[in-house]
Amino acid sequence: MKFVWLSIAGVAIAVAAVLLSLGDFDTAFVVAAIGLVAWFLNYRMQLKDVTGEGEVEKERLEIEGSEDEKQS
C-alpha cells in the first residue's frame, strides 16, 4: 500500500509540473495538493510500521476475526 501512495504522489507532482508549465495555475495547485496528501499518507503508513501501531492494529483485527468465527 505504501508503494501505491508514493506512486500517486509522484504522478500527481509530475502532472502538476506539466500543468504549471502550460500556465494552468489553479489546476496545478489542486493536483499538487493531491500529490502532497498522497505523500503524507505514504509517510503515515511508514510511521505506523516504525512505531508498531500497525502490528497492534493487525493483532486487534486478528482477535476480532477469531471471535467472530467462534460465534458462527
Side-chain angles (χ1 to χ4, degrees), residues 2 4-5 11-12 15 17 23 26 32-33 39 41 45-46 48 50 52 55 59 66-68 71:
K2 290 182 274 190
V4 173
W5 290 121
V11 169
V15 170
D26 292 337
W39 174 83
L41 289 173
M45 298 281 279
Q46 288 178 354
K48 269 188 163 182
V50 169
E55 295 298 322
E59 290 176 9
S66 63
E67 288 176 358
D68 289 341
Q71 292 177 356

Side-chain angles (χ1 to χ4, degrees), residues 28-46:
F29 175 78
V30 171
V31 173
I34 291 170
L36 185 61
V37 168
W39 174 83
F40 178 75
L41 289 173
N42 172 55
Y43 190 70
R44 183 176 177 263
M45 298 281 279
Q46 288 178 354

Side-chain angles (χ1 to χ4, degrees), residues 7 10 14 20-21 26-28 32 35 39-40 50-51 54-55 60 62 70-72:
S7 298
L20 191 62
S21 68
D26 292 337
T27 309
W39 174 83
F40 178 75
V50 169
T51 60
E55 295 298 322
R60 183 183 57 82
E62 287 175 1
K70 290 178 183 178
Q71 292 177 356
S72 296

